[in-house]
Amino acid sequence: MPTPSSSMLSQEALTLPNVLSGGAVVASNGSRIPTNKLNKILEVIIDNHFYICLKWKEMFGQDTLAFYC
């Protein structure tokens, strides 16, 4: 799986279908995480999207999730 580039984060990642299918959006990098490390974090989140959603629903007792971009 290719690592998200900064252009992908600013344009393609903001589309709702991408988020719903496991994409990730960096809302802010106020901590100034280096780009290479931030991309690795995004990869982990993207690779575990469905597991994260499942656990979120179990923890908070929700049947559906809403994503906001």
Side-chain angles (χ1 to χ4, degrees):
M1 181 167 169
T3 304
S5 66
S6 59
S7 63
M8 178 183 158
L9 295 176
S10 62
Q11 298 298 320
E12 296 171 23
L14 295 177
T15 63
L16 189 56
N18 191 27
V19 173
L20 293 175
S21 67
V25 177
V26 176
S28 174
N29 187 13
S31 297
R32 299 179 187 195
I33 300 169
T35 303
N36 62 334
K37 292 185 188 247
L38 186 59
N39 286 337
K40 288 180 184 181
I41 293 168
L42 285 173
E43 266 187 71
V44 170
I45 292 169
I46 291 167
D47 290 346
N48 291 288
H49 171 78
F50 294 105
Y51 179 75
I52 293 167
C53 290
L54 174 68
K55 290 301 179 181
W56 185 278
K57 288 189 240 180
E58 288 176 3
M59 175 63 90
F60 297 105
Q62 296 177 315
D63 293 329
T64 59
L65 297 176
F67 296 90
Y68 300 94
C69 297

